[in-house]
């Protein structure tokens, strides 16, 4: 056993060093993937949730701030950018199918995007959720960077939006397979498109686990819905949020 | 492998610059995705199916997308900052996210299917128009 003061020094060193938290993210991911595999890729065994829950507990138990954690985890977070660019590859491989489905995709995008944004504000607003949280909830189905900038522009809290975007993605990824099976929809293009539109990148990650075509269409929907939400939000959000201006914030 | 990562990052970088310079309502990486797509379309013209996507770019893209879940973990852990607020509004927020996400997914998939069915029907009954559409695209 090492003496306690040395153990304390070691912890101070490790807990403030990017190495520990970067490694924790990777280990948590590998464990989550292992559990998901053991569960035969059951929709409830969502990799993001399975990894984020033990990491969150670890941060709380060790009293580590999110900022310290993120200093290490940012190296993984950074790869979201190139991964988004990489979505062009499955999109291009499926170009023939995408072209054939242009009309249904456009219709589904217009209606789906509006539904995602308007319904969450109406439901939460009627239940008395304060307007600052409503503004943070509204862009929940869009990809994180778009959602955060839209929340900021409409009086929401961008960091809170990031959380709502994650919760939406995890819920969507969990629910998509059972829902589509219950509806009897076997068209993987349609299934993937719905997953990517309502549950952005996490829905897309799930779609890629299920079927490559579903993944490609999810990637398109993620990009299109991001753009669509960004274009529509400045027009419809201010009047929509105004309806609930009386909902006061109590923390 | 380095060349493929460089290609992805270059697309992202150019995407960021273009979006900021023109004030577009898009994140840089999404613009970068458009750029990469345009590059693939130009590069792939006249090539046989399996050579259309440069091999190294294909390998790196597949590796990244296979592990897409990993990349969301740091942001998802951000929930630790908001436990207080979620304890206060947790249920109402959960209900609204669950209902709204389900509704959006349902509406999207149903309209997609209706549109696809209508399109198949139209092409079958108007083969001349369909052929013209095909030729245009």
């Amino acid at each position: 056993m090492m003496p306690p003061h040395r153990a304390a020094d070691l912890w101070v060193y490790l807990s403030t060093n990017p190495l520990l938290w970067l490694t924790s993210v990777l280990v948590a991911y590998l464990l989550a993937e292992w559990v998901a595999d053991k569960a035969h890729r059951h929709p409830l065994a969502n990799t993001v949730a399975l990894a984020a829950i033990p990491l969150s507990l670890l941060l709380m138990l060790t009293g580590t701030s999110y900022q310290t954690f993120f200093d290490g985890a940012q190296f993984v977070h950074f790869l979201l950018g190139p991964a988004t660019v990489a979505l062009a590859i499955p999109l291009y491989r499926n170009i023939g199918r995408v072209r054939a489905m242009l009309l249904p995709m456009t219709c589904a995008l217009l209606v789906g995007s509006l539904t995602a944004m308007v319904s969450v504000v109406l439901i939460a607003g009627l239940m008395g959720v304060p307007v600052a949280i409503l503004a943070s909830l509204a862009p929940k189905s869009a990809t994180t960077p778009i959602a955060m900038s839209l929340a900021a522009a409409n009086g929401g809290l961008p960091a809170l939006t990031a959380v709502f975007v994650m919760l939406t993605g995890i819920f969507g990824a969990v629910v998509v397979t059972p829902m589509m099976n219950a509806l009897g929809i076997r068209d993987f293009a349609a299934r993937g498109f719905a997953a990517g539109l309502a549950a952005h990148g996490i829905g897309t990650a799930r779609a890629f686990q299920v079927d490559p075509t579903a993944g490609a269409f999810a990637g398109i929907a993620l990009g299109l819905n991001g753009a669509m939400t960004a274009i529509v939000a400045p027009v419809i959000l201010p009047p929509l949020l105004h309806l609930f201006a009386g909902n006061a914030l109590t923390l | 492998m380095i060349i493929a990562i460089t290609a992805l990052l270059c697309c992202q970088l150019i995407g960021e610059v273009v979006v900021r310079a023109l004030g577009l309502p898009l994140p840089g990486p999404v613009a970068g995705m458009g750029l990469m797509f345009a590059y693939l379309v130009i590069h792939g013209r006249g090539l046989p199916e399996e050579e259309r996507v440069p091999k190294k770019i294909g390998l790196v893209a597949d590796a990244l997308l296979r592990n897409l879940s990993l990349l969301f973990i740091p942001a998802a852990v951000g929930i630790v900052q908001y436990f207080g607020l979620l304890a206060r509004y947790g249920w109402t927020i959960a209900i609204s996210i669950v209902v709204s996400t389900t509704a959006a997914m349902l509406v999207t998939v149903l309209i997609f299917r209706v549109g696809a069915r209508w399109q198949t029907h139209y092409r079958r009954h108007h083969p001349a128009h369909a052929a013209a559409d095909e030729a245009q695209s």
Side-chain angles (χ1 to χ4, degrees):
Chain A
M1 261 326 264
M2 66 176 108
H5 69 89
R6 198 171 295 167
D9 284 353
L10 180 62
W11 172 249
V12 168
Y13 169 75
L14 279 181
S15 65
T16 55
N17 190 300
L19 175 66
L20 175 68
W21 299 112
L22 176 59
T23 314
S24 319
V25 169
L26 291 168
V27 171
Y29 171 68
L30 290 175
L31 286 175
E33 279 284 279
W34 181 80
V35 172
D37 265 342
K38 286 283 160 204
H40 305 288
R41 295 276 153 198
H42 189 280
L44 269 179
N46 177 266
T47 319
V48 180
L50 283 176
I53 293 166
L55 285 171
S56 307
L57 290 175
L58 188 66
L59 290 195
M60 287 195 299
L61 289 175
T62 57
T64 307
S65 75
Y66 180 66
Q67 193 50 54
T68 306
F69 165 80
F70 197 78
D71 284 345
Q74 63 175 321
F75 301 106
V76 168
H77 182 78
F78 176 78
L79 291 174
L80 275 174
T84 306
V85 176
L87 286 168
I89 284 94
L91 173 60
Y92 177 65
R93 285 186 188 134
N94 285 278
I95 183 76
R97 313 186 59 161
V98 171
R99 209 181 270 164
M101 287 292 152
L102 222 46
L103 173 85
M105 267 168 44
T106 312
C107 302
L109 169 70
L110 290 172
V111 185
S113 184
L114 279 172
T115 307
M117 203 171 0
V118 174
S119 67
V120 78
V121 174
L122 287 181
I123 297 166
L126 290 174
M127 289 193 293
V129 171
V131 75
I133 300 184
L134 292 181
S136 316
L137 267 172
K140 68 173 191 344
S141 285
T143 184
T144 317
I146 299 186
M148 288 176 75
S149 63
L150 289 176
N154 288 285
L157 310 159
L160 187 60
T161 298
V163 173
F164 294 153
V165 171
M166 289 302 125
L167 293 175
T168 301
I170 292 170
F171 172 73
V174 166
V175 87
V176 61
T177 306
M179 182 202 269
M180 297 305 164
N181 289 345
L183 291 171
I185 290 166
R186 282 182 298 273
D187 174 2
F188 275 110
R191 290 171 68 130
F193 194 81
L197 186 140
H200 55 86
I202 303 185
T204 304
R206 170 70 191 172
F208 272 114
Q209 288 174 352
V210 174
D211 179 89
T213 304
F217 275 86
I220 305 161
L222 146 84
L224 289 178
N225 189 39
M228 184 73 192
T229 309
I231 294 165
V232 173
V235 183
I236 65 159
L237 270 190
L240 198 59
L241 292 171
H242 189 71
L243 290 178
F244 303 106
N247 292 3
L249 181 68
T250 50
L251 286 177
Chain B
M1 199 182 116
I2 299 296
I3 190 163
I5 294 172
T6 311
L8 290 174
L9 287 175
C10 280
C11 285
Q12 186 184 349
L13 181 64
I14 299 171
E16 295 282 5
V17 170
V18 168
V19 160
R20 272 157 220 274
L22 302 179
L24 299 176
L26 268 184
V30 173
M33 171 170 111
L35 206 63
M36 175 58 83
F37 182 76
Y39 164 74
L40 290 172
V41 169
I42 295 165
H43 174 269
R45 263 193 299 188
L47 290 178
E49 180 100 39
E50 62 280 2
E51 284 171 33
R52 280 187 200 155
V53 177
K55 207 172 171 192
K56 286 174 180 164
I57 292 185
L59 285 174
V60 169
D62 289 338
L64 270 176
L65 295 176
R66 218 176 13 253
N67 294 295
L68 194 55
S69 300
L70 165 67
L71 315 186
F72 288 101
I73 295 170
V77 175
I79 197 166
V80 294
Q81 299 163 285
Y82 292 101
F83 277 140
L85 192 124
L86 290 176
R88 176 75 182 76
Y89 295 105
W91 279 111
T92 44
I93 288 171
I95 292 169
S96 49
I97 288 182
V98 163
V99 176
S100 163
T101 307
T102 309
M105 211 177 264
L106 204 62
V107 163
T108 305
V109 80
L110 293 180
I111 292 188
F112 191 108
R113 286 304 304 149
V114 169
R117 221 172 273 179
W118 183 83
Q119 183 172 274
T120 319
H121 182 82
Y122 172 83
R123 289 205 173 137
R124 195 173 298 147
H125 291 266
H126 303 269
H129 287 266
D133 286 352
E134 290 286 298
Q136 266 180 3
S137 58

